[in-house]
Structures are given as C-alpha cells and as structure tokens.
Amino acid sequence: MEQLGTWEARVEMMEENIDALEILSHDSDKHWSIIKKWMIKANIDIPEIAPRGLPRHVFDFEGLSKEEMFKTIMKYEILAMNVYKDIKNTNSEVITELFPNEKDAFEFLKEIGQLIKDEEKHANICKQQIGGFAKIKY
C-alpha cells in the first residue's frame, strides 16, 4: 500500500516533492524485497491479494493538496512501522520456529529493526512535507 500511495502521489504532484517521493518509493521497493526474502526462507506463501482484514486500497489523490497526499501516505508509513514493531516484539519462540538457524533469526530481527527505523524516517519525511518536522515516536 505504501508503494501504491507514493506512485499515485507522484502522478498527481508530478515534479513537486520528487525527492521525498523517490526516497519513499525506493525504500518501499527495498522493503518488499526484504520481506519477500524472509517469507521465502520461512516457507510462507507470498500473498497475491491483500491479507484478510486489510482492505484492497485504491489511492485517489486527484484534487488533493500536497499536504493531504503526504498525510495519507504518512498513515501507511506509520501502519507499516507498527506492523514491523509487532513482528520484532513477537514471542521469541515464534521467531525460532520460523527460523531455526540462530544466525537467520538474528539477521531477521536485525533487518526488521532497520525497517522500523526506515519507516520512522518515512513518517518524518511526510511530516516535513505536511509543514512541520517532529520526531515521531510510537
């Protein structure tokens, strides 16, 4: 959903705020690669549709201001960050079951920690575009 949001915003804003959107878009692609890698290692099927409980979202930014677009994107950056925090804070036995190799489990948690930091950075980038800068803590 992050990726869809950044691309739709890019279409609407065109050259405005391109640097911020490039960072969000590039990192979103990178994050998907990381998550996909760990899903494959854990022998989890890669979903082809939105998971149950998560709506299939279509972003329509037509007619919205830059601030409104970044506010919407920021919501999904925060959602992603909170999901990664939940994963990192899950019961260690679950991680061990998914990744019996201790090195894999350590590397997985390390990469999830980096994703959390990246999402916090993304939320701050959005906050700057909305018109303010504040470190966001959740």
Side-chain angles (χ1 to χ4, degrees):
M1 287 200 296
E2 287 178 282
Q3 188 67 345
L4 290 173
T6 56
W7 277 104
E8 179 62 24
R10 194 172 184 174
V11 166
E12 288 301 317
M13 285 189 261
M14 299 307 264
E15 295 303 314
E16 292 178 60
N17 311 94
I18 199 75
D19 292 339
L21 291 171
E22 280 290 322
I23 291 168
L24 298 176
S25 179
H26 175 268
D27 284 359
S28 182
D29 281 343
K30 182 177 77 173
H31 292 181
W32 171 239
S33 293
I34 291 167
I35 295 300
K36 187 176 174 183
K37 171 184 83 174
W38 289 110
M39 289 178 78
I40 290 168
K41 270 194 181 238
N43 203 25
I44 297 171
D45 293 333
I46 308 297
E48 295 184 26
I49 59 171
R52 197 177 71 202
L54 201 60
R56 292 193 76 152
H57 203 83
V58 176
F59 290 91
D60 182 8
F61 289 151
E62 189 173 340
L64 296 182
S65 69
K66 167 193 91 159
E67 292 81 7
E68 291 169 317
M69 287 184 236
F70 275 103
K71 188 174 181 181
T72 299
I73 293 168
M74 185 171 69
K75 287 191 313 190
Y76 289 96
E77 299 294 348
I78 292 169
L79 173 64
M81 180 178 61
N82 287 334
V83 167
Y84 296 143
K85 283 181 176 182
D86 289 346
I87 291 169
K88 186 167 179 145
N89 294 327
T90 194
N91 186 318
S92 63
E93 292 170 8
V94 173
I95 302 297
T96 302
E97 188 175 320
L98 286 172
F99 308 110
N101 179 311
E102 192 175 312
K103 183 180 176 195
D104 283 346
F106 175 79
E107 190 65 30
F108 171 75
L109 291 172
K110 180 178 168 187
E111 288 192 2
I112 292 295
Q114 184 58 53
L115 294 178
I116 292 167
K117 289 178 186 174
D118 287 352
E119 296 302 348
E120 186 174 64
K121 177 182 84 173
H122 296 168
N124 281 324
I125 287 170
C126 291
K127 183 84 172 170
Q128 284 179 307
Q129 300 303 314
I130 292 168
F133 182 80
K135 187 142 174 99
I136 298 173
K137 295 212 178 237
Y138 298 96

